[in-house]
Amino acid sequence: MSASDPTPAGGANPLAEGPADPEHDPTAAYALERGYVESLTARLVATSGETVQVFSPLNGAPLAHVPQSSETDVAEAFARARRAQAAWAQTSLDHRAAMLLRLHDLVLDRQEEIIDLIVWESGKARKHAFDEPLHIALTARYYGRTAHQHLDTKRKLGIVPGLTRVEVNQVPKGVVGIISPWNYPFTMALCDGLPALLAGNAVVAKPDAQTMLSALLAAQLLEEAGFPKDLWQVVAGAGSEVGPQIIGRADYICFTGSTATGKLVARGCADRLIGASLELGGKNPLLVLRDADLEKAAEGAVRASFSNAGQLCVSMERLFVADQVYDRFVERFVARTEAMTLGATLDWGNDMGSLISEAQLRTVTAHVDDAVAKGARVLAGGRARPDLGPYFYEPTILEGVTPDMTCFGNETFGPVVSLYRFHDEADAVSRANEGDYGLNGSIYSQDGARARAIARHVKCGTVNINEAFGATFASVDSPMGGMRQSGQGRRQGSEGVLRYTESQSVATQRLIRFAPMLGMSDETYGKVMTANLRLMKKLGRA
């Protein structure tokens, strides 16, 4: 996503032309204390003299002028990170883990500040903003408690029992480049970097331009938790300019964003033969089976489809419902959707907030208008709500969506979901697997064993049973990521930390060598080794 427009929608630039009366015009004065903003933006490695002004999607109020990084700044960020990483890699694993556990407490203690900033920058409902410090606390505690499980040196089988000792070390890659999106600006800025730090790496991060302040607050909290300041560098700028500079210098890349951009990132990493983990787009399916608890399914479908106004990589955009329960489910789903409260406030109590930008609003509007023009029916929502805020759009349910409609196979990334009937469950799975994406899926059924069996046939990296996405995403011991064009690599669990390491095998040999000994010929050596292989198999050894 690009930076916010230089002026709020429909309004003049209050800094350039002079503010109106802030009592009546929310765009007339800064929403955040200037000193607070400057304490955050001072963390940027940015000396170009250029800035980008950003505004809140809640009401168009200006938030900050964000300094922009030059190519020289990116190079300097990597130089600082490499110096810090050399020292950090020598610290004990227990020391690094203790920092994560301190961060856990700090994030929970400062959650109100964190949530306020997230809401100002993203426009999301407060209850959805709460998910972000919650997820970071879970991630920090998990890796702080399981550090040795993932990263301790491990013994492996040697070729000669008792005489060959093999150990595998996990060696940090060096400096990790993290390019994070705007939709979960605190979580996505930080969660992938925590295991990188635990493994002994440094990080150079480029958050999205629209939500830079939340990411800078995350960096500030790392330092307050005890991590060395230079270990986590933050740069700012257009992704098309700064992204290639990061890819050209990093030892590993972690990217979350669109599939189209992810392919460009993958090509850049391939040219340098460095690894990358990519969490990309999705057109995620939810299946309501004939034996589902319909009240639970309807409640879950609302969260699945409209959390964060649908701007969630793992949210559902396709609902497949069994014929036997279709009408009863739709009645409940529509009623719950129409009862949702929308609002542009920092307070608790809203069920859904704003879209992030004018560009996102245009995409959502275009998808719905195209579907309606081609015959789809709107069961709920279907219109923008400028009376609430510049980028609000109602939670929308569509029926009768066909393959010729843009929203059928393309990710909307907004509060729009399409309903489809099915009779045969195998057909439902086949339709759920259509297209190129495979990020997240959901199945509602009162028969857990049957639902889990069906899940094995759903081509998604995560599948939730009787839940939208929270069960997998919040269970940080399990890997999370996409199949097919929804990405490669995994965050969370062992895979989430081991991606930032190189596996190094160290073998110590005693008494014998792998060559003829004691005057034996090459032929005799070959026969002895062959006999040894047969013996090992007979003894059941791997």
Side-chain angles (χ1 to χ4, degrees):
M1 299 297 296
S2 61
S4 297
D5 294 336
T7 58
N13 185 332
L15 297 183
E17 301 184 13
D21 181 357
E23 184 177 350
H24 304 289
D25 183 359
T27 70
Y30 278 94
L32 301 170
E33 291 291 335
R34 306 315 307 143
Y36 178 70
V37 171
E38 289 168 4
S39 71
L40 296 177
T41 58
R43 305 192 68 84
L44 284 165
V45 186
T47 63
S48 70
E50 298 179 5
T51 63
V52 168
Q53 191 176 10
V54 292
F55 301 84
S56 175
L58 283 181
N59 55 13
L63 294 177
H65 279 82
V66 178
Q68 302 295 285
S69 303
S70 65
E71 185 171 358
T72 301
D73 292 325
V74 177
E76 173 62 20
F78 272 91
R80 294 180 189 177
R82 290 204 182 280
R83 289 192 295 268
Q85 191 272 332
W88 179 248
Q90 301 305 311
T91 62
S92 72
L93 190 55
D94 286 334
H95 175 72
R96 298 178 217 156
M99 302 287 180
L100 290 179
L101 295 176
R102 284 206 288 271
L103 179 68
H104 171 277
D105 294 342
L106 189 59
V107 166
L108 294 181
D109 291 342
R110 299 272 290 277
Q111 63 177 289
E112 294 301 321
E113 174 192 353
I114 295 166
I115 293 170
D116 281 350
L117 190 54
I118 292 169
V119 174
W120 274 119
E121 281 203 299
S122 69
K124 66 178 64 178
R126 191 171 192 86
K127 69 178 182 180
H128 299 145
F130 168 73
D131 292 343
E132 301 202 40
L134 173 66
H135 184 255
I136 290 301
L138 285 170
T139 302
R141 175 163 51 84
Y142 170 75
Y143 282 115
R145 295 294 191 203
T146 61
H148 288 283
Q149 170 188 324
H150 305 305
L151 295 171
D152 276 355
T153 295
K154 293 180 173 58
R155 289 286 296 270
K156 298 293 182 180
L157 293 174
I159 184 173
V160 181
L163 300 181
T164 308
R165 176 189 175 118
V166 179
E167 299 171 322
V168 176
N169 302 320
Q170 299 300 330
V171 179
K173 286 183 178 288
V175 179
V176 173
I178 295 180
I179 303 173
S180 59
W182 49 260
N183 60 325
Y184 278 74
F186 186 76
T187 288
M188 292 292 100
L190 200 50
C191 70
D192 288 310
L194 297 184
L197 297 182
L198 180 69
N201 299 281
V203 168
V204 174
K206 194 209 86 65
D208 189 89
Q210 296 172 106
T211 52
M212 187 65 67
L213 300 181
S214 297
L216 290 169
L217 177 57
Q220 182 184 91
L221 294 175
L222 284 173
E223 186 178 351
E224 292 181 22
F227 290 94
K229 180 177 181 179
D230 284 348
L231 197 64
W232 188 284
Q233 300 288 314
V234 186
V235 295
S240 59
E241 298 175 9
V242 177
Q245 296 170 26
I246 293 175
I247 294 168
R249 292 176 172 87
D251 300 306
Y252 187 90
I253 292 291
C254 176
F255 171 80
T256 303
S258 71
T259 295
T261 303
K263 290 179 179 179
L264 296 176
V265 172
R267 291 188 192 106
C269 292
D271 286 342
R272 295 191 56 232
L273 291 179
I274 62 171
S277 52
L278 312 168
E279 196 229 83
L280 309 177
K283 193 70 178 175
N284 304 310
L286 183 150
L287 279 62
V288 180
L289 305 187
R290 62 182 178 273
D291 65 340
D293 181 317
L294 297 186
E295 288 295 340
K296 290 181 179 178
E299 184 278 331
V302 168
R303 286 187 293 107
S305 307
F306 306 128
S307 291
N308 196 26
Q311 300 168 120
L312 174 59
C313 296
V314 293
S315 68
M316 301 300 159
E317 295 194 7
R318 300 181 294 153
L319 268 60
F320 298 92
V321 185
D323 272 336
Q324 296 91 331
V325 298
Y326 184 89
D327 292 334
R328 286 177 288 150
F329 169 81
V330 170
E331 180 183 3
R332 290 165 170 79
F333 183 39
V334 169
R336 285 180 176 273
T337 299
E338 291 178 336
M340 291 175 65
T341 58
L342 281 62
T345 72
L346 296 178
D347 301 327
W348 296 93
N350 294 320
D351 293 317
M352 199 181 86
S354 175
L355 294 166
I356 185 72
S357 66
E358 176 67 30
Q360 208 65 23
L361 177 62
R362 285 197 301 266
T363 296
V364 172
T365 302
H367 279 208
V368 174
D369 289 351
D370 170 77
V372 171
K374 294 174 180 175
R377 298 172 296 282
V378 177
L379 302 186
R383 61 195 177 109
R385 292 292 302 275
D387 56 309
L388 298 175
Y391 312 132
F392 272 77
Y393 198 94
E394 291 179 338
T396 299
I397 303 171
L398 298 177
E399 191 179 52
V401 171
T402 55
D404 62 321
M405 301 175 187
T406 303
C407 70
F408 179 83
N410 294 288
E411 184 179 31
T412 303
F413 215 64
V416 180
V417 64
S418 303
L419 289 170
Y420 305 91
R421 291 177 180 267
F422 74 84
H423 181 72
D424 179 72
E425 289 176 356
D427 175 62
V429 171
S430 177
R431 291 162 66 189
N433 288 337
E434 287 179 346
D436 296 325
Y437 293 121
L439 187 56
N440 183 49
S442 178
I443 301 173
Y444 276 80
S445 168
Q446 296 188 71
D447 186 339
R450 186 165 68 93
R452 287 189 292 273
I454 292 172
R456 296 179 64 87
H457 301 284
V458 176
K459 295 179 180 178
C460 292
T462 54
V463 180
N464 294 263
I465 308 299
N466 294 326
E467 169 56 31
F469 54 82
T472 53
F473 196 79
S475 299
V476 292
D477 190 41
S478 62
M480 184 267 169
M483 297 181 181
R484 299 182 289 173
Q485 293 201 34
S486 286
Q488 63 182 30
R490 296 290 185 269
R491 63 167 53 99
Q492 305 190 160
S494 290
E495 293 176 62
V497 63
L498 295 181
R499 58 180 164 165
Y500 298 125
T501 67
E502 301 283 5
S503 295
Q504 179 194 59
S505 298
V506 178
T508 303
Q509 188 61 37
R510 294 189 295 273
L511 298 180
I512 67 169
R513 62 177 185 261
F514 297 105
M517 298 174 60
L518 304 174
M520 71 173 61
S521 67
D522 291 342
E523 181 180 4
T524 301
Y525 171 74
K527 291 179 179 179
V528 169
M529 291 301 293
T530 298
N532 181 63
L533 292 176
R534 295 187 188 283
L535 176 62
M536 292 299 102
K537 180 177 180 291
K538 186 173 293 187
L539 294 175
R541 196 168 188 274

